[in-house]
Amino acid sequence: MSPVILFSAGAERFEVYAEPLRDALRAAGVSPRVVTEAAPEEVDYIVVAPGSGITDFGPYTRCKAVLSLWAGVERMVGNPTLTQPLCRMVDTALEAGMVEYVTGHVLRHHLGMDRFINRPLTGWEAGVPPLASERPVAMLGLGALGRACARALTELGFPVLGWSRSPRDVAGIACHHGAEGLAEVLGRAQIVVTLLPLTPQTENLIDAAALARVPQGAVLINPGRGALIDDDALLAALERGHIGHATLDVFRTEPLPEDHPYRTHPHVTVTPHIAAATRPETASRVIAENVRRGEAGEPFLHLVDRDRGY
Ligand code: NAP
């Protein structure tokens, strides 16, 4: 009997995923039935996205894996009914999008582009920006996305200071970990990029004390999760001019409320959670490979560790 995949990530998404998912499953050599509704006890795999609808995974007694279309799983990882293996999305297109977002915004601040864009040039003296090699960048998070961004920045010449939970060894990057490592990385970075998952340990990591450690005028770029940042502390650091600019893609409340001070702050750039999106063609291949593995009894890719929370 063919396995059943319940696509529970929204009707609109199903419209764009149905075809690439069918093609990817065929290419992976598996032929499940992909449905948007099914009796829970008949479901072998569930494809989910945040807000997809299923809150109680208990009745899905036959389900071999819950496959997330999102990289960040903080809204699902604490669900006590979700006892099946949970796999997050690690997707080449997601990675490529994040590399473009991060390098683009790092280069904007590094080159001081704002001085010339949409403003008439007065005079002729503006000062030449330093080379990338003179601009240390901190990459908080050395996972799938952090490593890809760190590599791209290194290729552009930026010295990258990486930080992770456990010790990491990434070619060309000065890797640090733990509380001491964070102090070292923040103390030297002129641009700080946060690509950490949201967990109880990372919530409010960028607080007043962390912000005080970065050199005067440093720039913060956050495409990770909004709650990594203590918003009041960041606004205060921006007011003092200690943080020169913050480019923020993710927020505690999304959409960011109309009256939120970030929206009008002259030294904040708000982007509406567009840093990197899961793309149906590539993400479908990841889903299909995990279904193939499940059917072959092989270990799943990108399993979430419930204890770590990511
Ligand atoms: P990942 O592969 O799970 O990597 C997470 C990294 O964070 C790892 O290096 C991990 O350390 C580190 N980390 C976790 N907890 C830590 C702690 N307490 N202290 C220090 N380091 C810690 O995740 P990813 O695929 O790179 O994605 C990162 C995040 O990006 C996602 O969780 C999501 O929130 C966000 N995201 C945003 C968008 C967007 O459009 N804005 C799109 C996709 C993803 P270890 O290496 O030691 O495990």
Side-chain angles (χ1 to χ4, degrees), residues 200-213:
Q201 288 72 40
T202 61
E203 185 165 6
N204 288 322
L205 183 84
I206 305 301
D207 60 5
L211 291 165
R213 286 196 184 278

Side-chain angles (χ1 to χ4, degrees), residues 178-211:
E180 271 177 35
L182 181 63
E184 164 85 11
V185 164
L186 292 179
R188 288 168 50 199
Q190 292 179 23
I191 299 178
V192 177
V193 181
T194 42
L195 267 170
L196 295 159
L198 180 60
T199 68
Q201 288 72 40
T202 61
E203 185 165 6
N204 288 322
L205 183 84
I206 305 301
D207 60 5
L211 291 165

Side-chain angles (χ1 to χ4, degrees), residues 71-74 88-90 94 98 140-147 163-168 178 195-199 201-202 205 222-225 249-250 273-277 308 310:
V73 289
E74 70 279 357
R88 60 188 208 92
M89 183 51 65
V90 176
L94 192 64
M98 189 59 84
L140 307 189
L142 288 175
L145 299 178
R147 278 200 308 275
W163 185 68
S164 52
R165 189 183 52 88
S166 52
R168 293 273 161 195
L195 267 170
L196 295 159
L198 180 60
T199 68
Q201 288 72 40
T202 61
L205 183 84
N222 181 26
R225 281 293 179 260
D249 185 54
V250 281
H273 202 146
I274 43 93
R308 287 185 329 193
Y310 65 96

Side-chain angles (χ1 to χ4, degrees), residues 99-264:
V99 166
E100 290 180 17
Y101 182 92
V102 167
T103 51
H105 285 277
V106 164
L107 283 171
R108 166 194 170 191
H109 295 299
H110 166 61
L111 295 174
M113 289 182 184
D114 292 15
R115 293 179 300 170
F116 308 110
I117 295 172
N118 296 332
R119 266 169 235 172
L121 184 64
T122 54
W124 204 242
E125 300 296 321
V128 175
L131 287 174
S133 58
E134 298 162 87
R135 181 92 68 192
V137 177
M139 186 62 63
L140 307 189
L142 288 175
L145 299 178
R147 278 200 308 275
C149 294
R151 266 196 301 272
L153 292 171
T154 303
E155 278 164 22
L156 288 170
F158 292 98
V160 177
L161 303 143
W163 185 68
S164 52
R165 189 183 52 88
S166 52
R168 293 273 161 195
D169 188 8
V170 185
I173 293 155
C175 295
H176 301 261
H177 67 281
E180 271 177 35
L182 181 63
E184 164 85 11
V185 164
L186 292 179
R188 288 168 50 199
Q190 292 179 23
I191 299 178
V192 177
V193 181
T194 42
L195 267 170
L196 295 159
L198 180 60
T199 68
Q201 288 72 40
T202 61
E203 185 165 6
N204 288 322
L205 183 84
I206 305 301
D207 60 5
L211 291 165
R213 286 196 184 278
V214 301
Q216 173 78 23
V219 165
L220 176 68
I221 300 175
N222 181 26
R225 281 293 179 260
L228 299 175
I229 292 174
D230 174 338
D231 294 321
D232 291 340
L234 176 57
L235 285 163
L238 284 160
E239 271 333 296
R240 288 197 308 278
H242 186 70
I243 295 295
H245 197 98
T247 293
L248 309 172
D249 185 54
V250 281
F251 306 91
R252 275 166 206 273
T253 306
E254 294 182 9
L256 183 66
E258 287 298 329
D259 60 350
H260 196 286
Y262 284 153
R263 283 208 185 244
T264 48

Side-chain angles (χ1 to χ4, degrees), residues 5-55:
I5 301 180
L6 175 62
F7 191 94
S8 179
E12 274 177 30
R13 255 197 213 94
F14 189 63
E15 276 180 31
V16 289
Y17 268 88
E19 202 179 314
L21 191 53
R22 193 194 55 216
D23 294 348
L25 288 162
R26 191 179 299 137
V30 281
S31 45
R33 275 195 307 127
V34 184
V35 298
T36 52
E37 277 177 30
E41 63 280 5
E42 288 173 6
V43 171
D44 296 280
Y45 302 90
I46 310 176
V47 175
V48 291
S52 67
I54 301 180
T55 49

